[in-house]
Amino acid sequence: FVVAPLINATVRLGNEEEKNIIFNSLFREDTIPSNKRGMVGKPTSMSSEAIRIANNLRRKQNKERDRGVERVSNIIKEQGLDNNKVIIVIVDDDILDASISGLVANRLVNEYNKPVMLLRVTEDSTLAGSTRTVNSNSKLKNFKSMCLETGLFEYCSGHEGSFGACITVDNFEKANKVFNELLKDVE
């Protein structure tokens, strides 16, 4: 529970050198030059350097996630998207880095207590991105299956409550109406 989030942050935000140090430290006990302020160039254990790097990346990821939550929340409020049963937001790299879309969607689900889709325009002009749902709600627990049953999505790939989704622009315009009808009795 401590190591996994650090590795996750490294995969999302680390450069190749940082990733190599982190993963090699799991298997080797080498000494490498430190990049820690005040210790630059001095020998340090690879595992110490890996922990320092991973903690820095985790802090950076959390800052970016919180900034993303704030930006997307502003869009949701400005556009009144929280009036829908499912919050669907089109984002881009100026609003939210793609590598943290799922983390931001998780926070927004907790904030609004509704399923959240954060989609971006792809090269083939579809909309694709991260989807998260309210797993504690029995009617929303199988949200991926619900999305697929609508016939609106090109694909939904992943777990029932945490998955990637792709939808055409035409179907995107229909999605809120369909979800609002399907979920009209869900609080």
Side-chain angles (χ1 to χ4, degrees):
F1 292 107
V2 174
V3 175
L6 296 174
I7 292 174
N8 188 307
T10 300
V11 170
R12 290 177 193 276
L13 299 177
N15 62 37
E16 285 303 310
E17 180 184 1
E18 292 166 331
K19 290 176 186 177
N20 285 332
I21 290 171
I22 301 298
F23 291 107
N24 285 327
S25 74
L26 297 172
F27 307 105
R28 299 186 354 213
E29 286 293 324
D30 295 355
T31 299
I32 62 172
S34 176
N35 282 322
K36 183 177 180 182
R37 192 175 344 161
M39 301 289 292
V40 175
K42 293 182 181 177
T44 189
S45 70
M46 185 182 288
S47 58
S48 293
E49 187 69 3
I51 291 167
R52 186 191 65 74
I53 290 168
N55 280 320
N56 288 343
L57 290 169
R58 178 76 194 272
R59 275 190 295 280
K60 179 181 176 183
Q61 173 189 272
N62 290 346
K63 282 181 186 177
E64 287 188 30
R65 178 204 59 212
D66 294 345
R67 191 171 27 251
V69 168
E70 183 179 341
R71 288 176 177 163
V72 176
S73 286
N74 288 338
I75 293 169
I76 291 168
K77 289 171 186 155
E78 287 169 8
Q79 296 180 10
L81 300 175
D82 54 333
N83 294 323
N84 292 309
K85 292 292 187 170
V86 176
I87 297 173
I88 307 173
V89 186
I90 298 176
V91 297
D92 60 29
D93 289 337
D94 292 335
I95 298 167
L96 179 65
D97 186 279
S99 69
I100 60 167
S101 290
L103 299 174
V104 170
N106 280 335
R107 289 290 167 111
L108 294 170
V109 165
N110 292 335
E111 185 176 329
Y112 292 97
N113 201 35
K114 296 178 180 188
V116 173
M117 297 181 141
L118 300 179
L119 306 175
R120 53 188 71 235
V121 178
T122 65
E123 289 178 10
D124 65 355
S125 297
T126 58
L127 300 167
S130 295
T131 303
R132 300 295 186 269
T133 192
V134 183
N135 289 314
S136 60
N137 185 313
S138 62
K139 295 188 180 187
L140 296 172
K141 198 172 189 172
N142 297 318
F143 190 60
K144 179 179 94 171
S145 295
M146 180 186 296
C147 290
L148 290 169
E149 288 169 9
T150 66
L152 296 174
F153 291 85
E154 299 297 298
Y155 67 80
C156 294
S157 179
H159 304 287
E160 279 295 327
S162 173
F163 57 94
C166 179
I167 191 168
T168 64
V169 173
D170 289 341
N171 285 340
F172 168 77
E173 293 172 5
K174 299 173 190 173
N176 272 324
K177 184 176 181 182
V178 170
F179 285 133
N180 287 340
E181 180 59 31
L182 282 172
L183 300 170
K184 66 183 174 196
D185 297 325
V186 177
E187 289 297 318

